[in-house]
């Protein structure tokens, strides 16, 4: 009689994440090709519309840079941040059925949604970047590619931690979910996604600098665009400190919530 193979915790974790990723791809893309193209076309339209509208139709200019490239390096970190925050916040409530399976934990669902969103947004950036390069001749390769990629990974951690905090808040007060969703619009305007904040008065910049996402957007352009003159208020300490703090509090709230379920 052959012994039953015993899997290590690492193998169990890997299999769970792989199964959840397959489920996420199947749920988002569907089983038809139309679902695959729709999931790609929808976010592409969100990014392509302002690029075409403000970069080509209205012919906006930023001194020393092509506006579509300037806009893309601001839109990508913003949409990556927003998508992971919303998916993490909503994923806790929409995936409760999966928690009935013993190997699946809430943190597995959260990480899966973050990985899927990162893959989707990366594909989006590559498709739009290839289109701007092939059809319009823009150069979109970051000036400091390694540092820029590390910055995007740090942004994933920042959005993941904040999304877990939002998930904990909405579990106690579901009505807060609508307020959080609406707050992304003023955050979009206050983070310098569409306009260079360097044109704003210094008094405004001192106030806007309290917004951590502004530092992430400015850092994305500073590492991606050649000779980009970032604002004096840009601080990489704020960038990575905000990621560390939100991840710490997000994981702490998750841990406390898990312990409260065990003891009750």
């Amino acid at each position: 009689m052959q012994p039953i193979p015993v899997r290590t915790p690492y193998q169990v974790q890997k299999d769970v994440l792989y199964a959840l990723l397959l489920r996420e791809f199947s749920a988002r893309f569907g089983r038809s090709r139309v679902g695959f193209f729709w999931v790609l076309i929808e976010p592409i339209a969100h990014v392509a519309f302002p690029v075409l509208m403000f970069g080509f139709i209205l012919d906006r200019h930023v001194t020393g840079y092509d506006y579509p490239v300037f806009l893309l390096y601001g839109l990508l970190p913003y949409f990556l941040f927003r998508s992971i925050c919303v998916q993490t916040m909503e994923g806790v409530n929409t995936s409760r059925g999966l928690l009935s399976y013993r190997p699946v934990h809430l943190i597995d669902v959260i990480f899966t949604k973050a990985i899927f969103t990162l893959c989707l947004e990366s594909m989006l950036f590559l498709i739009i970047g290839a289109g701007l390069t092939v059809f319009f001749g823009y150069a979109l390769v970051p000036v400091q590619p390694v540092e820029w990629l590390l910055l995007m990974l740090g942004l994933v951690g920042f959005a993941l931690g904040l999304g877990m905090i939002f998930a904990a808040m909405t579990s106690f007060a579901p009505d807060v979910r609508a307020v959080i969703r609406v707050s992304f619009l003023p955050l979009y305007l206050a983070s310098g996604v569409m306009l260079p904040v360097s044109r704003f008065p210094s008094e405004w910049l001192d106030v806007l600098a309290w917004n951590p996402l502004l530092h992430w957007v400015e850092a994305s352009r500073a590492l991606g665009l050649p000779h980009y003159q970032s604002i004096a208020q840009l601080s990489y300490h704020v960038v990575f400190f905000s990621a560390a703090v939100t991840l710490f509090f997000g994981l702490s709230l998750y841990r406390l919530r898990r312990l409260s379920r065990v003891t009750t």
Side-chain angles (χ1 to χ4, degrees):
M1 192 173 180
Q2 294 182 351
I4 299 176
V6 179
R7 295 187 300 171
T8 63
Y10 169 76
Q11 291 174 329
V12 174
Q13 186 73 36
K14 183 182 68 174
D15 292 341
V16 167
L17 291 177
Y18 179 71
L20 290 176
L21 274 176
L22 288 181
R23 179 186 179 276
E24 191 71 21
F25 273 94
S26 177
R28 294 289 296 273
F29 290 117
R31 297 182 179 179
S32 63
R33 296 179 181 179
V34 177
F36 175 79
F37 286 110
W38 174 250
V39 172
L40 289 180
I41 289 173
E42 186 181 12
I44 286 176
H46 280 297
V47 178
F49 177 76
V51 169
L52 293 174
M53 176 62 69
F54 296 101
F56 296 100
I57 298 177
L58 297 181
D59 196 22
R60 291 281 183 88
H61 294 283
V62 179
T63 305
Y65 313 102
D66 296 310
Y67 186 74
V69 181
F70 171 87
L71 188 59
L72 189 60
Y73 273 103
L75 286 172
L76 177 67
Y78 171 78
F79 279 117
L80 181 63
F81 166 79
R82 190 193 68 175
S83 299
I84 292 179
C85 273
V86 172
Q87 288 295 323
T88 302
M89 179 180 67
E90 299 291 349
V92 174
N93 295 319
T94 59
S95 303
R96 291 186 182 274
L98 293 173
L99 302 181
S100 60
Y101 297 96
R102 187 175 180 181
V104 180
H105 299 285
L106 183 58
I107 197 68
D108 301 322
V109 177
I110 292 173
F111 283 162
T112 300
K113 290 187 175 294
I115 294 172
F116 177 82
T117 304
L118 177 61
C119 294
L120 186 62
E121 295 295 331
S122 300
M123 190 182 305
L124 167 69
F125 179 77
L126 291 175
I127 292 174
I128 296 181
L132 290 176
T133 302
V134 172
F135 295 106
F136 301 101
Y138 292 125
L140 288 171
V141 178
V143 178
Q144 303 180 53
V146 176
E147 291 82 354
W148 187 82
L149 289 174
L150 290 175
L151 182 76
M152 292 300 104
L153 290 177
L155 180 60
V156 171
F158 174 54
L160 186 63
L162 198 59
M164 295 173 72
I165 295 174
F166 289 160
M169 293 171 57
T170 55
S171 65
F172 293 105
D175 295 336
V176 177
R177 185 179 292 106
V179 178
I180 293 174
R181 282 184 169 274
V182 172
S183 66
F184 283 107
L185 178 58
L187 192 64
Y188 176 82
L189 301 174
S191 299
V193 175
M194 299 185 65
L195 296 174
V197 292
S198 57
R199 296 179 179 178
F200 296 167
S202 58
E203 296 81 7
W204 292 19
L205 291 178
D206 292 335
V207 176
L208 292 175
W210 287 92
N211 171 20
L213 188 58
L214 173 64
H215 295 265
W216 288 94
V217 172
E218 280 291 296
S220 172
R221 288 173 174 149
L223 298 175
L225 297 174
H227 311 295
Y228 180 74
Q229 297 295 325
S230 58
I231 60 175
Q233 289 81 0
L234 171 61
S235 172
Y236 288 96
H237 295 289
V238 173
V239 167
F240 292 104
F241 181 74
S242 61
V245 169
T246 53
L247 264 179
F248 172 79
F249 281 105
L251 291 172
S252 298
L253 289 173
Y254 166 78
R255 182 66 177 174
L256 290 174
R257 185 178 179 184
R258 184 180 177 185
L259 288 176
S260 64
R261 286 187 173 184
V262 173
T263 54
T264 56

